Amino acid sequence: MLVQRSSAITVFRLNVLGYGTCMLIAPSVSATAAPAAGMTLLAFAFGWAIGTTMALMTPVSVQLTGIENLKFTSGVIFSTYGLSVIVGPPIAGVLYTAAGNDYAAAFYVAASCLLVSGVVTFGIGSTEAAPATTAAAAAAAAA
């Protein structure tokens, strides 16, 4: 396994901060003298960070809430993603209009949300697996 179980949550946290940072610097990169090269590197970094985050979503969920709660946890996570897909674009449109037809404000707000969520993850959970809560798991542990 590429990412050991004990470090999965650490990699997850760093990648959330990584793609928040990519969103934060995106408006600046597009305004540089060589925007194509900068945006290519930024797209690679963003894709790597969000891809790794999505790949680690299930192991981290199990680590924090236990395997028994995986269905519920996955439902909450993907419902939250769905809500952000519905609510995010209209908010970005309002920010675009308010900023005088400039998307930078929308990127900064999105980056701020990602960075705050990345920092918040350092205060929750642990790197140890969640304790088993089912009677079968308790009986197996006692045996």
Side-chain angles (χ1 to χ4, degrees):
M1 182 181 247
L2 181 61
V3 177
Q4 293 179 353
R5 186 174 174 178
S6 63
S7 65
I9 195 166
T10 302
V11 173
F12 179 83
R13 291 169 174 158
L14 294 174
N15 279 299
V16 171
L17 292 173
Y19 77 90
T21 303
C22 288
M23 292 288 282
L24 186 64
I25 64 173
S28 302
V29 170
S30 65
T32 62
M39 290 304 278
T40 301
L41 290 172
L42 186 65
F44 177 80
F46 183 81
W48 182 277
I50 198 165
T52 305
T53 300
M54 292 305 291
L56 289 173
M57 191 65 65
T58 300
V60 169
S61 298
V62 169
Q63 202 170 344
L64 292 175
T65 64
I67 192 75
E68 306 84 23
N69 299 318
L70 183 59
K71 288 186 248 182
F72 175 75
T73 305
S74 296
V76 169
I77 289 168
F78 288 110
S79 295
T80 305
Y81 281 153
L83 181 64
S84 66
V85 168
I86 292 169
V87 174
I91 292 172
V94 168
L95 292 170
Y96 173 78
T97 304
N101 298 336
D102 184 18
Y103 281 110
F107 275 93
Y108 294 142
V109 169
S112 299
C113 292
L114 288 167
L115 292 171
V116 166
S117 68
V119 169
V120 166
T121 63
F122 283 95
I124 61 170
S126 68
T127 57
E128 298 176 13
T133 56
T134 62

